[in-house]
Each structure stands twice: as C-alpha cells, then as structure tokens.
Amino acid sequence: MRFGIVILPELRWSEAARRWRTAEELGFDHLWTYDHLAWRSLADGPWFGTVPTLTAAATVTAEARLGTFVASPNFRHPASFVRELLSLDDISGGRFTLGLGAGGVGFDATVLGGSVLPPMARFRRFKEFVELLDLLLTEDHVTYRGEFFTAVDARTLPGCLRPSRLPFLVAANGPKAMGLAIEHGAGWSTTGTGGETLDEWWRNLRVVTEKFNETLAASDRDPASIDRYLQLDAAPVFSLSSPEAFADAAGRAAELGFTDLVTHWPRPDDWYAGREETLFEVAGKFLTPRA
C-alpha cells in the first residue's frame, strides 16, 4: 500500500514549503493539493493557485509524486491548461500526476458567470475534458470540436517527458465516469458515496468498489494495470484523528483492494481538524522515512 497526503494551498509559501518538504521526508509516496478557486467554508480565507503551488513544491522535493486532487472543467480549458501541465511535468522531472474530476456544484461552478450543469451534462463535459487533455498531451496540432470545448490547431510541443504522457488519476463514483478512468487513467480514485456513520460509509464504499470491479471486468483492461486510490477523509471521521483511526481505515481499505490511500495535513479547526503530532505518529508507524 502507498500513502499520500493533501496539503491545502492556504498558507504563504514561507510557511507551506516546510510542510511539503516534511511530507516527503516522512515518507509519503505522493503529495497533492486541491484545484479550486475557493472551497467550501474556507472560501473567505487565504487560498493560493494550484499550479504555482505544485511548481514550488517540485523545487523543494525530489522523489515523491506531486499532483492535483483534483482538476476539473469548472474553470479550466484543456488547450490553455495543457501548457501548465507540460511545465509541471518538466519542472518536477516527470513526477507529476494529473488528478481529474467532473467538478462540484459550488463556487467554482458559478464564479465565471455560468450556471450549474445537470448531472448528465456535467459528465459529458468531463468526458470531453479528459479526452481533449489526452489528445493534447499525446499529439501536436490538435483540432477538436465538442459540445463544451473547442481547440483549433493547438500546439503542444515539447510534449511530456515520458512517451506515454503524464499519468491521469480519474475520480469516479458512477459507472460512466469509471469507464473514463479505465480507458484513460493510470489510476481510479473515489471519495465513496457518503454515509452518516463510519460503518455506513464503509458499506457504501464497498458498493462503489464492487461497481468498479464489474465495470473493469467488462472492459479489456488488465485489472493489475490500474491503481486504486481512496480519499480517506470523505468519511465521517478524520483519518488522522488518532493512530487507531488511521490503522482501522488502512485495514478496511486494504480489504477492498485499494492500492493507495490519501489523507490530509491536519488543520487547527474546521475541515480536517487535528494535531500534527498525530500525523507524525502515524507516519512513524506506516511510512518509511527518507534520509
């Protein structure tokens, strides 16, 4: 099992750099940040840009993978976004993973003056978003005309460091989006589908994983070729609320076949409220520190 951590882009870099360096030193395999313009109850607080944050993180780390958790079409166009992705891939030395999701219905969905799309339209837009990004990261002089996105002779040199392009991690809870993950993703990620209690959340998550297994079995994809990521803190209990809570979550996730778990750097209050001491204790039990 591999472990990742999300560091929210809310601190000035003079403070945030320490967290990114420390997360790598603790032994986390992958380090992430959110890709939002504003987020939930933290919308009126400090919030910095995703791509500059990850670029800076690439300069203070050396081994851990870096990524968006997750980028969406709510406010991004593939033709302009791809230039930022190519730069991140290059600056990080090929350590960048592009986490992708359909996008929520909150601030990001309306800040540019648009309206919130109904679920099926959001999926169609997401499908175009993933497909066009795939094209732009593998071909040059791309022309594409869709319902939501258009690109006309888009230039994409120099391309990714690896011939097969940078890896996609596709977030999906339903079978259609799971199909996108299977077709385009190096990995699939999920937050589950909710639940008022912890046990209910895990029961619902089992249903999601069974649906993914069915969708994967109906495809031509080798099941061993796609990684499975679980965002632990969508559960009603913060995974770093105690070492025992993290150990229980890791055990349950392993039983469901997840290869990668993602937690969050503890915050003093509100979302992901917890103690940094618990993070360090968990890291000491589950991770192999880097020298």
Side-chain angles (χ1 to χ4, degrees):
M1 175 119 13
R2 292 176 295 266
F3 298 93
I5 190 165
V6 175
I7 300 171
L8 298 185
E10 58 181 339
L11 298 178
R12 294 196 180 277
W13 190 245
S14 57
E15 299 177 70
R18 175 191 66 85
R19 291 192 176 182
W20 290 88
R21 281 193 298 263
T22 300
E24 180 173 64
E25 291 166 358
L26 288 173
F28 281 100
D29 299 287
H30 29 84
L31 318 178
W32 309 86
T33 199
Y34 284 177
D35 189 31
H36 293 289
L37 298 179
W39 188 69
R40 297 190 180 181
S41 59
L42 306 183
D44 292 324
W47 199 265
F48 292 96
T50 300
V51 172
T53 295
L54 289 171
T55 302
T59 68
V60 298
T61 58
E63 298 179 38
R65 295 204 64 82
L66 307 170
T68 52
F69 209 80
V70 292
S72 84
N74 265 337
F75 58 90
R76 293 203 178 275
H77 190 293
S80 55
F81 192 29
V82 74
R83 285 300 185 192
E84 300 179 357
L85 301 177
L86 290 171
S87 301
L88 270 173
D89 184 55
D90 185 56
I91 294 167
S92 68
R95 291 185 291 129
F96 177 67
T97 296
L98 177 58
L100 295 167
V105 297
F107 181 85
D108 289 348
T110 58
V111 65
L112 299 183
S115 57
V116 175
L117 297 176
M120 283 308 301
R122 285 173 61 216
F123 169 74
R124 295 196 308 273
R125 183 183 64 173
F126 184 39
K127 184 173 185 290
E128 286 189 14
F129 188 62
V130 174
E131 290 175 345
L132 182 50
L133 282 169
D134 196 349
L135 278 173
L136 290 165
L137 290 167
T138 53
E139 301 180 13
D140 192 21
H141 292 274
V142 172
T143 294
Y144 178 99
R145 290 181 174 84
E147 179 184 0
F148 298 95
F149 297 110
T150 297
V152 180
D153 195 23
R155 314 302 174 83
T156 62
L157 294 178
C160 298
L161 287 178
R162 63 174 73 185
S164 59
R165 73 153 164 73
L166 59 85
F168 288 3
L169 174 64
V170 181
N173 284 334
K176 287 187 171 62
M178 287 174 181
L180 283 180
I182 292 164
E183 182 177 358
H184 296 278
W188 161 64
S189 71
T190 182
T191 56
T193 55
E196 301 215 356
T197 68
L198 192 58
D199 285 340
E200 182 182 5
W201 187 81
W202 283 103
R203 285 196 301 271
N204 292 340
L205 180 63
R206 180 176 293 276
V207 174
V208 172
T209 58
E210 289 172 351
K211 177 56 68 176
F212 180 76
N213 291 337
E214 292 170 5
T215 307
L216 183 58
S219 74
D220 296 328
R221 182 81 181 258
D222 176 4
S225 70
I226 186 166
D227 295 325
R228 302 163 182 236
Y229 287 67
L230 175 61
Q231 202 276 71
L232 285 174
D233 299 325
V237 176
F238 180 38
S239 61
L240 292 178
S241 59
S242 70
E244 294 75 21
F246 192 87
D248 178 67
R252 294 197 197 200
E255 289 177 3
L256 293 176
F258 286 97
T259 60
D260 295 77
L261 302 184
V262 179
T263 184
H264 290 72
W265 194 284
R267 302 180 66 259
D269 52 32
D270 206 346
W271 292 93
Y272 317 125
R275 300 167 61 248
E276 287 190 352
E277 291 80 4
T278 303
L279 166 63
F280 299 139
E281 187 175 351
V282 165
K285 293 182 178 180
F286 285 87
L287 308 181
T288 301
R290 292 182 176 88

